[in-house]
Amino acid sequence: MIIWAGRPEGHAKPEGNATDLRYLEYAVAALEPIMAICADAARSSSPKVRALARETLSVQTERFDAISALLRDWGRAERTSPPVAETLVGLDGEALDKLFVDRLAAHARASILSSRAELIAGASRSTRHLAEHAIHAGDRQLAALQGLLLVAASAGDLRK
């Protein structure tokens, strides 16, 4: 068990360990850029990309809020992050869609891996619950992306 120094009065003692804290802090940091990319992808010319971007942004926002609330309950300082470095501003058409698909797939895979590690080494029930939900969300995102890629591949074959 780690010592949580500087815990403000009125905050619950964390129920977890150092793995839980690392997982939560990593997740918050990883969610901010993907949320910005999803917000940008909501202006795609593809209805399927727009729908996936909006749905993903909603899921990621809920996850971000839940993680932030848990960190606050544990007395962790509110995260003040630098501006998000990567967005899809200035891109449109296939370039926007491709970068969105690439970034969302990479994020989903990384989220699944870190969530599995949390399930193995984490001690907090709350954090493990969030990790389980992240695995399911990541699997759904990868399945949706696979469907987008199959549609794009079929359309590309028709153009030949």
Side-chain angles (χ1 to χ4, degrees):
M1 188 69 107
I2 67 169
I3 297 172
W4 301 78
R7 186 168 33 97
E9 289 294 322
H11 288 277
K13 181 180 179 189
E15 59 183 286
N17 59 22
T19 299
D20 298 310
L21 180 60
R22 277 192 307 273
Y23 173 75
L24 293 171
E25 290 178 341
Y26 171 80
V28 167
L31 283 167
E32 291 173 337
I34 199 65
M35 289 166 60
I37 286 171
C38 288
D40 287 344
R43 63 181 173 75
S44 170
S45 58
S46 164
K48 290 185 181 199
V49 170
R50 285 193 312 268
L52 180 58
R54 285 191 302 267
E55 178 185 330
T56 301
L57 181 58
S58 175
V59 168
Q60 301 298 21
T61 300
E62 287 176 17
R63 185 167 177 232
F64 182 89
D65 292 344
I67 292 169
S68 295
L70 186 54
L71 286 169
R72 274 192 312 276
D73 287 348
W74 287 0
R76 301 306 289 187
E78 195 64 30
R79 185 169 144 60
T80 56
S81 60
V84 175
E86 183 177 20
T87 65
L88 305 179
V89 173
L91 296 177
D92 58 11
E94 287 183 31
L96 181 143
D97 295 348
K98 181 175 178 358
L99 190 57
F100 169 68
V101 167
D102 290 347
R103 294 302 184 264
L104 185 56
H107 172 79
R109 288 184 195 107
S111 178
I112 290 168
L113 286 174
S114 67
S115 296
R116 286 180 180 159
E118 166 59 25
L119 291 178
I120 293 167
S124 164
R125 275 190 199 189
S126 300
T127 305
R128 291 171 56 84
H129 182 72
L130 288 172
E132 288 173 353
H133 283 282
I135 290 169
H136 296 303
D139 285 341
R140 285 190 302 275
Q141 289 166 0
L142 290 173
L145 289 170
Q146 186 63 35
L148 280 177
L149 295 175
L150 291 175
V151 169
S154 298
D157 290 342
L158 294 175
R159 291 183 203 154
K160 290 182 181 179

